[in-house]
Amino acid sequence: MLNMGVLRYVLVACLIAISNHVNVASAGITRRYKFDIQLKNVTRLCKTRSILTVNGKFPGPRVIAREGDNLLIKVVNHVSTNISIHWHGIRQLRSGWADGPAYITQCPIRTGQSYVYNFTVTGQRGTLWWHAHITWVRATVYGPLIILPKLHDSYPFPKPYKQIPIIFGEWFNVDPQAVIQQALQTGGGPNASDAHTINGLPGPLYNCSAKDTYKLKVKPGKTYLLRLINAALNDQLFFGIANHTLTVVEADASYVKPFKTNVLVIGPGQTTNVLLKTKHVSPNATFFMLARTYFVGQGTIDNTTVAGILEYERKASNSPKTRPVLKPALPAINATGFVANFSNMFRSLASSKFPVDVPKTVDRKFFFTVGLGTNPCPKNQTCQGPNGTKFAASINNVSFVLPNTTSLLRSYFFGKSNRVFTTDFPSSPIFPFNYTGMPPNNTMVARGTKVVVLKYNTTVELVFQDTSILGAESHPLHLHGFNFYVVGQGFGNFDPTRDPKRFNLLDPVERNTALVPAGGWIAVRFRADNPGVWLMHCHIEIHLSWGLTMAWVVLDGDLPNQKLPPPPSDFPKC
Ligand code: C2O
């Protein structure tokens, strides 16, 4: 029997299809999910904590769709914490109300309330993910978001026998909300996590954890597609599998020219698809897959190693006790050169079916410094940041302050005079300095809620320049609402006359999150063809908390299909 709700959607889909003169058969379907935000007791490392989850699952449920599908995800908040969910990497074409970052596109979903995220997946396929986008709730509230190609669409790589999400995370023995509250209060660096996890499991290299080990059971002579997702709060990771070479085929849900590697680097927010070809005969060994932190800079970091096990199916006669355990070799914790080389390996597939659409001409150029800084310590308090200050982070020396009475998008859409933001975000540093040399004496940052306004369809070139203020660090920069093309990267200070001559406009990788090398820069380009308010930030959560973020306001275009529609009726109120 056909349910009336389904019928209504079928009818609406047909009407939309007819009105757009497209073939009904090629339009996607509507897929509904329900996310109940609830507490759940979870034990890791012999410590039981009540953690925030979606539907009691940790990691959270997989959302699977096909390119062209409409997703309706009803999020119901059953906990006392405010919630908001972001669909990381989804372009949200003219659906910015569903993007999710709290106080940027929407007010949080409060206790007992719900909100239906409504968006259509257009022109994208591959591995993405979803996560909470409010304070540090995403420590446990995250999961894969997998977009399959349209039915009958070809896949440009060897067809995998199986596809497996591998999602990295960080486990805290204490409430992560308390960790960030304490850090912001004292001004010092946050306490490090207690373990890294693969699909929620820390593995046998931690105390009291051997039973919580992720096992990937494989058959010999097959190709497996591993969908790697870094959902860790703060840690960029190296990853490898003993005695197995991986073939990278996709980054942030964009196909790349395949390349082989034994070790991957994956920053928070990034996703990477790799093909794993298993050996022809089951080897008599156990293979560890390991992940651990890449980090340069100051402060304490989780330097522990998560292990999962790659296990071949074998006959019962073969005793597991005598099997040697093999481990992959991973680079040193501070292997910045390795990381830069690895980032440089990525090239767009750039085929006729999946062409590169990098802007060849640029309407507006921006030069953004990204890095740490300080805020003054309030009177009558002692602070634990550098020289008794509070840690901060900024773009062009502006440390972003979130509004708390409305969202930027709502304020932009309805605002007349009393907007909660200003439009004077600097397009280059107000006081230029030697960004990667001796840091300036004054490390204080300015605070503000500033945006850049872009006309519809502006082509943008943006250089992210790391600074060495309080130590050079690598920053995974993430842009909401768009993918960008990474056209260049280098160490030291960006040279505006020499470096652009070497930009790659033929097959630059298309991503939503790219690593700015420690003590270096990257240049990206994108077309502002999506009206709305779009956050851009470092995906290292502590840097985001310290203000390493800003927002773009992209104005409506002239045509009806270039305008942002009004918010849905259940849009959360502050
Ligand atoms: Cu994956 Cu603004 O975040």
Side-chain angles (χ1 to χ4, degrees):
M1 209 181 85
L2 198 54
N3 154 320
M4 275 316 285
V6 171
L7 186 61
R8 192 162 61 237
Y9 275 100
V10 171
L11 288 174
V12 170
C14 291
L15 288 174
I16 292 170
I18 291 162
S19 64
N20 290 346
H21 308 283
V22 299
N23 180 354
V24 174
S26 78
I29 61 164
T30 293
R31 295 181 194 248
R32 292 159 193 276
Y33 283 86
K34 185 155 177 251
F35 275 24
D36 285 305
I37 309 295
Q38 51 194 232
L39 291 167
K40 172 92 182 171
N41 280 341
V42 170
T43 306
R44 295 288 184 273
L45 316 176
C46 280
K47 299 242 165 31
T48 302
R49 276 210 303 118
S50 173
I51 65 168
L52 290 166
T53 67
V54 168
N55 303 344
K57 292 203 167 109
F58 174 68
R62 285 176 205 176
V63 173
I64 302 177
R66 238 176 236 295
E67 183 182 342
D69 287 353
N70 174 227
L71 280 163
L72 294 177
I73 304 168
K74 181 173 186 177
V75 177
V76 188
N77 186 358
H78 303 280
V79 299
S80 59
T81 317
N82 285 340
I83 285 294
S84 191
I85 306 283
H86 169 53
W87 318 94
H88 179 115
I90 292 284
R91 288 224 38 212
Q92 301 289 8
L93 287 160
R94 298 173 61 228
S95 57
W97 306 107
D99 192 39
Y103 303 107
I104 301 298
T105 59
Q106 67 168 92
C107 290
I109 306 167
R110 300 192 176 274
T111 309
Q113 297 185 343
S114 68
Y115 178 46
V116 179
Y117 290 87
N118 179 352
F119 57 89
T120 298
V121 184
T122 308
Q124 299 184 275
R125 79 257 5 123
T127 305
L128 295 172
W129 61 300
W130 56 264
H131 61 80
H133 208 303
I134 179 164
T135 62
W136 278 24
V137 175
R138 80 170 178 87
T140 57
V141 178
Y142 61 80
L145 169 49
I146 292 165
I147 305 162
L148 304 171
K150 284 187 175 164
L151 271 181
H152 314 302
D153 252 11
S154 59
Y155 182 65
F157 309 112
K159 199 169 179 282
Y161 167 71
K162 263 194 178 160
Q163 24 181 315
I164 294 142
I166 299 224
I167 190 157
F168 301 104
E170 281 178 77
W171 174 261
F172 291 78
N173 280 336
V174 295
D175 178 5
Q177 293 291 94
V179 173
I180 182 56
Q181 266 166 28
Q182 188 200 16
L184 294 179
Q185 237 286 308
T186 65
N191 291 339
S193 52
D194 295 284
H196 293 117
T197 54
I198 292 177
N199 293 341
L201 302 168
L205 303 182
Y206 297 91
N207 284 334
C208 199
S209 179
K211 64 177 196 321
D212 295 320
T213 301
Y214 174 68
K215 284 195 179 137
L216 173 54
K217 299 212 166 93
V218 295
K219 288 187 162 59
K222 302 261 190 242
T223 299
Y224 291 79
L225 170 61
L226 308 185
R227 299 176 178 275
L228 309 177
I229 300 165
N230 189 346
L233 275 183
N234 296 312
D235 295 345
Q236 310 183 48
L237 296 169
F238 294 119
F239 172 74
I241 305 179
N243 288 37
H244 288 75
T245 298
L246 303 168
T247 304
V248 176
V249 293
E250 187 192 299
D252 297 356
S254 301
Y255 295 140
V256 299
K257 291 196 174 77
F259 67 92
K260 286 188 165 41
T261 186
N262 293 323
V263 175
L264 278 109
V265 181
I266 185 163
Q270 295 188 310
T271 58
T272 313
N273 278 9
V274 298
L275 297 175
L276 164 71
K277 187 118 181 41
T278 55
K279 313 225 179 265
H280 283 290
V281 187
S282 287
N284 191 30
T286 296
F287 302 98
F288 267 13
M289 47 176 108
L290 300 182
R292 70 161 184 241
T293 303
Y294 158 62
F295 181 69
V296 279
Q298 304 170 357
T300 47
I301 196 92
D302 182 343
N303 64 0
T304 65
T305 304
V306 49
I309 292 174
L310 177 73
E311 201 168 77
Y312 280 80
E313 274 185 6
R314 64 192 57 246
K315 301 192 185 75
S317 60
N318 200 326
S319 160
K321 289 199 191 78
T322 58
R323 239 181 273 155
V325 174
L326 303 177
K327 293 183 182 179
L330 296 181
I333 187 163
N334 60 354
T336 290
F338 182 95
V339 173
N341 285 338
F342 181 78
S343 303
N344 234 339
M345 302 281 285
F346 288 79
R347 294 285 181 270
S348 273
L349 188 58
S351 64
S352 52
K353 179 107 204 273
F354 300 100
V356 162
D357 190 24
V358 59
K360 295 286 179 349
T361 58
V362 170
D363 299 322
R364 295 194 62 185
K365 286 188 182 174
F366 297 88
F367 183 82
F368 285 180
T369 58
V370 294
L372 303 187
T374 53
N375 270 328
C377 191
K379 288 196 187 73
N380 314 323
Q381 202 194 322
T382 46
C383 291
Q384 287 164 19
N387 303 315
T389 62
K390 287 187 154 194
F391 266 116
S394 72
I395 302 179
N396 280 350
N397 211 46
V398 181
S399 182
F400 193 85
V401 178
L402 280 177
N404 56 21
T405 56
T406 182
S407 69
L408 291 187
L409 182 59
R410 194 190 170 97
S411 174
Y412 154 69
F413 195 82
F414 295 109
K416 292 282 179 281
S417 56
N418 58 341
R419 288 199 168 148
V420 295
F421 59 88
T422 57
T423 57
D424 54 349
F425 191 88
S427 56
S428 57
I430 296 167
F431 303 109
F433 60 100
N434 180 1
Y435 307 110
T436 51
M438 265 293 283
N441 290 332
N442 182 357
T443 58
M444 290 291 171
V445 297
R447 290 159 58 80
T449 309
K450 297 171 187 292
V451 305
V452 172
V453 178
L454 296 172
K455 286 206 192 98
Y456 183 84
N457 235 359
T458 304
T459 51
V460 174
E461 181 179 293
L462 175 58
V463 172
F464 294 105
Q465 171 72 61
D466 183 36
T467 75
S468 51
I469 298 173
L470 303 173
E473 276 192 46
S474 167
H475 298 279
L477 256 297
H478 172 49
L479 176 59
H480 287 225
F482 305 90
N483 288 332
F484 48 58
Y485 288 95
V486 184
V487 297
Q489 97 171 38
F491 283 115
N493 295 343
F494 174 72
D495 180 333
T497 50
R498 197 191 58 205
D499 289 325
K501 297 194 180 108
R502 297 201 310 258
F503 281 176
N504 174 11
L505 302 180
L506 286 178
D507 60 356
V509 67
E510 181 185 356
R511 317 198 62 137
N512 63 55
T513 309
L515 302 185
V516 179
W521 56 270
I522 59 170
V524 305
R525 286 187 181 184
F526 67 97
R527 179 182 295 277
D529 58 358
N530 191 11
V533 177
W534 305 107
L535 194 63
M536 189 173 77
H537 61 91
C538 179
H539 218 289
I540 292 177
E541 205 61 23
I542 185 62
H543 294 174
L544 175 56
S545 306
W546 284 339
L548 209 169
T549 176
M550 57 80 71
W552 306 88
V553 171
V554 178
L555 303 175
D556 283 348
D558 294 333
L559 301 175
N561 65 358
Q562 298 171 342
K563 294 187 196 302
L564 179 70
S569 56
D570 61 341
F571 192 60
K573 295 195 180 61
C574 268

